[in-house]
Every structure is written in C-alpha cells, then in structure tokens.
Amino acid sequence: MEPVMVVMCAICLLFFLYQLYKLSEERRNQCCYLVHYECHKPSDDRKLNTKFCGDIIARNKNLGRQEYKFLLRAIVSSGIGEETYGPRNIIECRENSPTLEDGILEMDEVLIDTLDKLFRKTGVSPQDIDVLVVNVSSFASVPSLTSRIINRYKMRDDVKSFNLSGMGCSGSLISLSLVQNILKSYKNAFAVVVASESIGPNWYSGNDKSMMLTNCLFRSGGCSFLLTNKRAFRTRAKLRLKCLVRTHLGASDEAHTCCMQKEDDQGRFGFYLGKNLPKTATLAFIKNITGIAPKVLPLKELIRYIVMKYLGKTATLNLKAGIDHFCLHPGGQAVIEEIRKNLGLSEKDVEPSRMTLHRFGNTSSSSLWYVLGYMEAKKRLKKGDNVWMISFGSGFKCNSCVWEVLRDLEDGNVWGDMIDQYPPKTTANPYMEQYGWVNQETFEPSAAV
Amino acid sequence: MAQILPNFSSSVKLKYVKLGYQYLVNHILTFLLIPIMLGILLEILRLGPEEILLLWNSLHFDLVQVLCSWFLVVFIATVYFMSKPRSIYLVDYSCYKPPVTCRVPFSTFMEHSRLILKDNPKSVDFQMRILERSGLGEETCLPPAIHYIPPTPTMEAARGEAEVVIFSAIDSLMEKTGIRPKDIDILIVNCSLFSPTPSLSAMVVNKYKLRSNIKSFNLSGMGCSAGLISIDLARDLLQVHPNSYALVISTEIITPNYYKGSERAMLLPNCLFRMGGAAILLSNKRRDSARAKYKLVHVVRTHKGADDKAYRCVYEQEDPEGKVGINLSKDLMVIAGEALKSNITTIGPLVLPASEQLLFLFTLIGRKMFNPKWKPYIPDFKQAFEHFCIHAGGRAVIDELQKNLQLSSEHVEASRMTLHRFGNTSSSSLWYELSYIEAKGRMKKGDRVWQIAFGSGFKCNSAVWKCNRTIKTPTDGPWQDCIDRYPVHIPEIVKL
C-alpha cells in the first residue's frame, strides 16, 4: 500500500500547489495599469478671451451694472488665461437657446477626437474593449453616450458599458474606482473611460450672483484613457494605480446643498455655488487625507506625525515624504491656493495645476488629466515617482488616488510645443488695466469647484 | 422564429419519447453511477466479512501519514472554497406604490390631451388609439406636476418626485429587512432621463446619512434595462468587497420628460411611461443565505449598438418646433427580436438542461452536415425556468416575446398584469412583476426566475435568479390591495 499512498499524496500536493499558483496569478492580475490617456484640445476657432467674455456678459439684458462688475471681477482674477475654449453655441452667440444638437455635437467633438487618437496610439482595437465608462455630469441623452461610442466604433455586443452622470468634477476618479473594481474580477480586460463636461446647454442666463460664477469658470475639454490589468502591458503602461480613496460628505445637509443645480426665483436653470463651499471642501479634504495618508506615506513619517501629535506639539503631515507630484483639481485660484497653504507645498508643486487653469480653464472632471499632461510634457515624471490626484465634486465628495510611474514619461501630448512657453512670466490678466476699475470695491472671492 | 421539427410534433407518442429522452440525459450521472455502486456492493458481499477485516488491518496507519493526508484534504478544501466566486443574495426588495391622488384614468388622460393639444386633433386621436390598444389599466399613475394643464415640469417638481419615489421605496425596504443606513457599503442609483447635480445617489446619501466611505454610483441614460445593469455592477462590486451590502435603486422620473409637442411618434412615450420605482438590497454575507429571498445566478448583457439601425431605434431628438422628445422607430420589434436572439445565444448554454442543449447541438450539426433545410431548433426555455419577468415595455413587446419563446399566457401573466396596473415604469417594472408572482403565492424554493429587459442603444439584458426559500404571500407590497382582482382579461381594444 506504501507506493499507492505516496502516489496519492504526491497527486494531492501537486493539485494543491497548482491551485495556489492559480490564486497568486489572480492576485497579481488585479493591478490596474493606465496604458495611455488622451486629452482633448478643441480647435482654435473656439478660443475665448477676456474681451469676448466681456461681450457675452454685456449681451445679457438681465444683468445690471452690479452684476456686470461682479462677473468681470471674477473673470479677471480667476487665473484663467486668454486661450481657453468654449462651446460652439456660445461662440456663435446662441448661449441662451442651446438645441439638443448643440449638446450632442459638443460631446461628439470630444469623443471622436480623443478616442480616435487613443485607439491609434495604443494599437488596441475597439473590439478588444471589455468595459466602457462614460462620465459627463450634466448631460443625459437617449440613447446614452456609451451607446453612441459603441455604435461609432462598432464594439462587441458583450461590452460592459456604464454611463455615470451627476457626479460633478470628481467624476473621472469615480469612473476609475468603478473600473478598478471590475478589473479585479475579470482577467485580461481592457477598459476605456471617457470624462467630459457639457457646458453649452447649461448656460445660466439669469442674474443670481451665486449662480453666475459657473458661467465664468467652466471651459470645454475632455479626456479618454485606457486601463488594463494584462500583465503583458506592464512595460507599455505609463502608470499603475496604487490606491484610491473616496469620501462622501452627503450626510451633512450643509455639505450636500453647497453646490447644486436648481432654478432661480425667475425659473431660470443654473448651477448654484454656496458661500460655505470652501469650508466644506476643506472638511472633505481633511477626511480624505486621513484615509489615504496611511496607504501612501512611509511608516517613518506616520510615526513622526503620531508622536508629535501625542506630545501636544503642532504637527503637519509632510505629504512630500511619500508623494512626489501633486495633481490638484484646478477648480479656481482660491482652491489651489488653499490646498497649497494647507499642505505646505511649494510654488513648483502647484505649478502644473495653476498652468492648466491658465491654459485650459476648469474643464471639470477631465482637468486632472491636463495637469498630468503638463507634468509629463515637462519631463518631470520619472520611474518610481508617486503622483497624487485629488478632486472635489458636488454632493459633497472628495476623491483621491495615488499612481506609481512605471517608466520615464516624456510624451508631449496635448501641451505639445507650447510647453516651453510655460510657466509664463506673469499670469495676470492682460485686460487688468482696461477692466481694473472693477477691483476698486472690496468683495469676497468665492472659491469655485 | 420557426416551428420545431414539424413532421413529428403532432404525434402524441413523440411527446413521451421526448420526456423520456430529457429525463435520461438530465440524470445521466445518476444512471452511470448506479451500476458502478451495485457492482462494488456485489464485490464486497462476495468477499465476505473476514477478508474485509484482513484488508483493513493490513493498512499501516502511521501518525505522520494520517496527519499529512488530513492536512492536505483540509488545505485543498480551503483553497477550493476561497477560489469560488462569492454568492450574491437578494435579501429583499420593495416597490413604490403611488398614492391614489396621482391616478390617471383614461378619461383624465384624454381630457388633458384634448386641452393641451387643442390645435392638433389628429394627435389627440393618435393618443386615444394608442391608449386603447396599450394594455394599460385605469389605475396607472403620473407625478403631480404632470397633472397640471399645461404640465409644470420644474426642477423642484422633478426633485420632489424623485424624493417621494426613492425615499418611500427605501423606507419600506429598511423596515422589511431591518438594515440600518450605516450598514450600506455600496449604493447604485439608476434613473435614465433625470440626472441633476448633485446626483440622485448624493441625495440618498444626504437623506439617510450614509457612511462617508460609501461607494456610490449614479447611472443614467441607460434606458429601461438600466435596472439589470445596476444589478450587474453591484455583483461585480460585491465580488471584490467581502461582507457588504449593496443598495440598488431603479426608477424613472417622469416629470422633466413629458413631451409637450405634437409630433406623433414622440407622443407614444407619454401614453406608456408611468411613475414607479424599486429599491433592492443585495448582500454577499454568508449569514444572509438563510433569510435572503433569491440568489443571483447569472446576469448577461448584450449591446447591439454596433448596428446603426439598432442604435437609432429609440432616439431622443427635437421635433420641428424644437421640443425635445423620444422617437421610437417602426422596426423596434424586429430589432428587439434580434437583440433577444443574441442574448439567448449567450444565456442558453448557461441555463438550459443538458437535454435541450444536446438537441440544439444535434440539429445544428444536422443542418450543417446533412440538410440545411432542417428548421433550427428553438430550445424550450420552460425547461430552464419556472417564472418569466418580461419588461412591461408595451403590449407589443410582451406579445412578441411570448410568441418567440413559446410561452403560455400564465408565464406572461405577471408582465401583462403589471403593465395593466402600473403601466410601463421603465427599469423598475421587473420588480413589480416579481412582486406579482410572490403575491400570487407561486414562488417556491428552488424556482428559477428569468428577468429580461430591453433598453435604448439597443440593449437586451437578462438576469437569472433562484428562489432561496418558499415565500409566503406578502402582506405588504404594491399588489396588496388589488391582487385578488387579478388576473383580469385585457381586451385587444378598450373602447374610449
């Protein structure tokens, strides 16, 4: 019976080892790699400068002198430059009567441009895509944008498509969280995420001050990126997702109502930004940091912080111990400045966000990718670096994630040749003298996300 | 879709042959094992008891060997259980029952129609004809804003409708399951045509003070099949996060989407879509396996968007006057049939018993090799499922599916009665239908349910559930006050 027993034991052992190997393979395959991302640069005929914005405001018969001054102040001190892009119906002076076609065309330009380039540069065919997530906050059409993409690129009929909306400026990180979860259950899958915002149909034509700011700050833009969990793409991929933390402050009524879509007293539709927005953003931010810091900072730094706190001394978490690059959502000058002060960052750290705000404006959920593009174009991303992306969204959410750079990145992407002009000597608005009179009265800057 | 093997199907004897064949193939393992077991038994009896004792004593039981073998067995068992996908249970669900004040009987609907479209008598006539043949009853409901003449679809009203529908459904679900808001880990809300900022999911988080690390997703634009897409997403998330609860909310907010123009093809949704919503609690905790109502077996999604005709058959557009509405194309039924065929091709091998699959295989081989004129074999899905929940998209959809899948009128009764009582409530209609089957006391342990839904784009999604425990007739739920009146006979045309 001895040899039989031995043989049986050997078979069991081999089977067990094989199962362990399969399990470990599955664990390894759960990494989420970013293969490539493509930001949208609209055509030059869609550029908006301060003078043009001034004309648009002057056209609005509902605005009195006070509101005119308020808006110009906001535009001039917003940190947004002269080369940002607007939707076509606004450029064509039809901001008050957007048609359904306008909304769809605006989305089409982003989708076609970014997805064509994405598929071409990565060499992945649309038929290989297993998961498709589209995230546009204030646009819902029938059929959805995901169906539009599936139709245009003739994707497979078992593609898992998800169309998220209403998630505000942090939509791309939420889509990323969705894909990360799905890639853990499915082997060898490709996922495409498209993030954009629909500006044209959401123009506010009334005179409520708290609802007019969004008109000034949001600009057209969009981004598509390709993710996978195939090990074979490890050498080709740019970034690897290390961790992602989502924080939702919706339980607090104050946080929930600080930015919402609603109708004003005259029944005009717009986006309301409350005065407690900066405070809510800070609260959400702190809560999010407490979630992500332990996952990303080295043990030494964490121990130092805890010890200092225990001893009663003022301690600030030195995030630069674990993070090399900061991708802050360019929601506005005040937001970037606030975060910079709170985290003790240098000007160089927030330069990518400031420059993105200057060149492209606040493009909502896709703006993080323009910031990442700036860092890459400036050749600052080296192998092994950690990049921290953080964004805020209505509801109120604060989401952040940390990427690890897999190889030295130097693709010029959407910044292209103009990267050498940045940072410019001054980001002050060139129309400061012309419209400078608006700054003569004091007003509280409203941080917008 | 064609008939099965027409030459023999009239013969009664064949029916028994078929039954015997099905029984044989489905229980093939049992039939193979029994002779083997008999053989072993005979061998043992032949050997006699002394020989067996001798055999037993000759085995050397070394302690080390015993421990090693035991160790290995335990390890292999652990590895096996760890690598199985987690079971997803549907703990309970709850459907929203609109108040009586929101009811829109035919007379109300036609009166409103005549007043609003007074310049277009042809359009009024069209709406009347649609309503007569729609299969809807007199108790369907529209939200309060639509009861105004003309309707007043403000954002406030839309948010109001969303709050009433969603919060009522969630309140009733929490009462039934005893779950606390802080226990919810995943939240998915799907509402096709209304996506405010902050999202409906943020609205739910705010009202119920859900945890700040909740994973919330807000799906929109995905049409009437969005409910099953949300279930699919919840399943994927629950595979990755152990010991969690997922709350899925499926609804359609009618207020902002009432078509105010007079273009006929776009007036159709006005006649069919009604107020409704459902809240579903899913879990992957082992302790819920005892109290859960259903276990999720499969979810299959099919997207025919690559085909241009399929993509354009449900399309939102502006009419010549600039009013926005949804245009339903004339070949909707054909496209739905195609999408269903694709979906069935994927789900068939997963759910059909071996006998049906073999028959399908043989006919396929026969067609390829012998005679291409053989009619393709349509598998008998009644073998695989006891209950069918077909999205109550409209009378034509249910008729078409009944014909294609060769279902009896009892199988589609849940869908027809839901269409009659609640109208087309879009993504939540599947849950009203399931509730009907439970209210009728037909759901027993082990029963399998097939939910099918279609959506714009064009999608066909289906989900297969297995009943976990025999469900006693519920004393609450949307059918509680009217179940005894059902089923009703719905005439082809109701004269208005």
Side-chain angles (χ1 to χ4, degrees), chain A residues 1-14, chain B residues 65 72:
Chain A
M1 291 303 286
E2 278 297 331
V4 175
M5 198 67 175
V6 169
V7 166
M8 268 178 57
C9 282
I11 292 176
C12 286
L13 195 68
L14 279 173
Chain B
Q65 276 182 344
L72 270 170

Side-chain angles (χ1 to χ4, degrees), chain B residues 306-318:
Chain B
D307 173 33
D308 284 328
K309 256 183 41 192
Y311 173 67
R312 294 211 156 252
C313 81
V314 177
Y315 209 77
E316 187 182 30
Q317 60 189 77
E318 280 169 348

Side-chain angles (χ1 to χ4, degrees), chain A residues 19 100 142 144 148 151 154 157 160-161 163-166 181 186 246 248 250-251 253 260-261 263 269 394, chain B residues 155 159 193 195 197 206 209 212 216 218 220-221 232 236-237 241 301 303 305-306 308 311 315-316 318:
Chain A
Q19 287 287 59
L100 193 64
V142 173
S144 58
R148 208 174 170 79
N151 175 252
K154 310 282 177 251
D157 64 1
K160 275 179 181 297
S161 61
N163 191 58
L164 302 174
S165 79
N181 279 312
Y186 293 89
R246 292 175 63 173
H248 201 306
D253 283 333
M260 61 197 289
Q261 264 182 330
E263 282 147 347
F269 199 69
S394 62
Chain B
M155 185 154 226
R159 279 219 169 94
L193 291 166
S195 57
T197 307
N206 174 249
K209 312 281 175 253
S212 67
S216 64
N218 190 61
S220 83
D232 182 42
D236 285 336
L237 290 170
H241 301 281
R301 293 173 62 173
H303 201 302
D308 284 328
Y311 173 67
Y315 209 77
E316 187 182 30
E318 280 169 348

Side-chain angles (χ1 to χ4, degrees), chain A residues 340-351:
Chain A
R340 190 191 71 80
K341 274 205 315 251
N342 278 334
L343 297 181
L345 302 175
S346 69
E347 274 302 322
K348 190 155 197 273
D349 290 324
V350 296
E351 182 193 309

Side-chain angles (χ1 to χ4, degrees), chain A residues 38-42 107 110-111 113-114 135 193-197 219-225 360 363-367 369-370 414:
Chain A
E38 202 53 59
C39 293
H40 174 56
K41 186 157 131 198
M107 291 293 100
V110 172
L111 297 177
D113 178 39
T114 52
N135 165 72
V193 178
V194 180
S196 183
E197 185 59 81
R219 295 288 184 268
S220 292
C223 171
S224 308
F225 46 104
F360 291 101
T363 59
S364 183
S365 46
S366 50
S367 51
W369 302 96
Y370 287 96
V414 73

Side-chain angles (χ1 to χ4, degrees), chain A residues 224-242:
Chain A
S224 308
F225 46 104
L226 179 70
L227 299 155
T228 182
N229 61 357
K230 283 194 182 189
R231 293 268 322 155
F233 271 74
R234 205 174 188 283
T235 44
R236 286 209 268 168
K238 291 186 171 181
L239 306 170
R240 180 180 75 88
L241 184 63
K242 279 178 96 165

Side-chain angles (χ1 to χ4, degrees), chain A residues 113-132:
Chain A
D113 178 39
T114 52
L115 285 173
D116 280 349
K117 287 204 190 113
L118 188 73
F119 289 127
R120 203 178 57 230
K121 288 197 187 163
T122 54
V124 174
S125 138
Q127 277 72 44
D128 295 332
I129 304 296
D130 304 286
V131 183
L132 172 67

Side-chain angles (χ1 to χ4, degrees), chain A residues 231-388:
Chain A
R231 293 268 322 155
F233 271 74
R234 205 174 188 283
T235 44
R236 286 209 268 168
K238 291 186 171 181
L239 306 170
R240 180 180 75 88
L241 184 63
K242 279 178 96 165
C243 56
L244 192 150
V245 172
R246 292 175 63 173
T247 309
H248 201 306
L249 248 56
S252 140
D253 283 333
E254 209 190 294
H256 182 64
T257 49
C258 74
C259 56
M260 61 197 289
Q261 264 182 330
K262 61 184 205 185
E263 282 147 347
D264 66 6
D265 302 323
Q266 276 95 41
R268 290 198 197 91
F269 199 69
F271 207 96
Y272 164 79
L273 296 173
K275 288 203 169 35
N276 53 357
L277 188 60
K279 195 176 88 169
T280 312
T282 317
L283 275 171
F285 185 59
I286 292 173
K287 199 152 185 164
N288 192 284
I289 289 192
T290 47
I292 204 164
K295 295 190 181 171
V296 109
L297 292 179
L299 203 55
K300 212 171 56 178
E301 174 61 30
L302 289 170
I303 292 176
R304 182 196 73 87
Y305 179 71
I306 294 172
V307 165
M308 297 283 275
K309 266 247 129 84
Y310 188 66
L311 293 175
K313 304 209 185 98
T314 49
T316 46
L317 210 54
N318 181 16
L319 282 171
K320 288 170 95 157
I323 296 172
D324 305 292
H325 306 282
F326 295 83
C327 246
L328 307 174
H329 171 59
Q333 286 274 53
V335 171
I336 300 178
E337 190 53 37
E338 194 69 28
I339 299 183
R340 190 191 71 80
K341 274 205 315 251
N342 278 334
L343 297 181
L345 302 175
S346 69
E347 274 302 322
K348 190 155 197 273
D349 290 324
V350 296
E351 182 193 309
S353 304
R354 276 206 216 282
M355 294 304 112
T356 301
L357 183 64
H358 185 260
R359 176 65 179 83
F360 291 101
N362 178 356
T363 59
S364 183
S365 46
S366 50
S367 51
L368 287 171
W369 302 96
Y370 287 96
V371 178
L372 188 69
Y374 181 90
M375 292 178 193
E376 189 181 344
K378 280 277 185 198
K379 302 200 188 357
R380 290 185 190 174
L381 297 174
K382 302 283 176 227
K383 177 167 175 168
D385 284 353
N386 281 341
V387 181
W388 187 40

